[in-house]
Amino acid sequence: DSGVTQTPKHLITATGQRVTLRCSPRSGDLSVYWYQQSLDQGLQFLIQYYNGEERAKGNILERFSAQQFPDLHSELNLSSLELGDSALYFCASSLRGGPTYEQYFGPGTRLTVT
Amino acid sequence: EDQVTQSPEALRLQEGESSSLNCSYTVSGLRGLFWYRQDPGKGPEFLFTLYSAGEEKEKERLKATLTKKESFLHITAPKPEDSATYLCAVPYTLAGGGGADGLTFGKGTHLIIQP
């Protein structure tokens, strides 16, 4: 158990819909990352937040957005869903930003778009 | 664009049969090379970070090494519980060339250890 929690574990929805994935980082961690893992693209970095502020964007689509709240939990919002958005979405957290801090991954949310 | 390439894609070994997994990377100014283990349906689990050529780190039956162009994950006398997908990663490079703390992952090596 990494200490990172994600809800829900599974989500099934239809194309065109909007969903919100939630992540609670490990206690004390200020940095939160979102990743998408699909069979064809592998594990891809989407976005990072640090202490409530957006820190860096990776391969995140414009239909996707995220935020980090004052209690440091984070939400990833996916809208106008397409079949290709079906994937595992992972949240990770680290104590601070920077490569010297290990990233701890949550168990993931499996999104299925039908 | 930074690239991380892992080989082989899959590897099947007998219990006790040592081997190495390869991770080659093309990055300008390496800020760390990371190894993770991922079990099916679970999140990646951190194993090692290497920062400079020549550096080595060990954990139980695993040893990671780093050169200027590649990293190896050596598995000595593996056991069935070492079966997993092993991922290597480097820090993500932003479009403008700056560094980010997110990671760019390789596709992984799927390792199966048969009893």
Side-chain angles (χ1 to χ4, degrees), chain A residues 33 35 37 40-43 45 48 55-59 88 90 97-100 102-103 105-107 110, chain B residues 31-32 34 36 38 41-46 49 51 87 91-92 94 99-107:
Chain A
Y33 310 78
Y35 292 85
Q37 187 171 39
D40 54 343
Q41 296 291 328
L43 192 56
F45 167 60
Q48 178 198 4
R55 181 82 165 242
K57 282 186 174 180
N59 301 317
L88 265 170
F90 290 106
T100 56
E102 302 163 11
Q103 292 183 31
F105 282 74
R110 182 174 294 279
Chain B
R31 298 185 296 123
F34 305 82
Y36 282 80
Q38 186 175 25
K42 296 192 175 181
E45 176 187 346
F46 173 79
T49 307
Y51 293 104
L87 301 165
Y92 185 90
L94 300 170
D101 301 330
L103 299 175
T104 295
F105 282 87
K107 294 290 180 68

Side-chain angles (χ1 to χ4, degrees), chain A residues 23-73:
Chain A
C23 167
S24 293
R26 292 187 322 153
S27 178
D29 284 0
L30 297 180
S31 198
V32 168
Y33 310 78
W34 285 97
Y35 292 85
Q36 178 194 59
Q37 187 171 39
S38 60
L39 284 176
D40 54 343
Q41 296 291 328
L43 192 56
Q44 290 198 93
F45 167 60
L46 297 179
I47 196 165
Q48 178 198 4
Y49 277 80
Y50 180 79
N51 203 20
E53 301 283 333
E54 182 184 301
R55 181 82 165 242
K57 282 186 174 180
N59 301 317
I60 189 166
L61 299 173
E62 287 191 8
R63 299 183 286 109
F64 297 180
S65 65
Q67 53 186 327
Q68 187 179 27
F69 295 87
D71 67 352
L72 301 178
H73 90 270

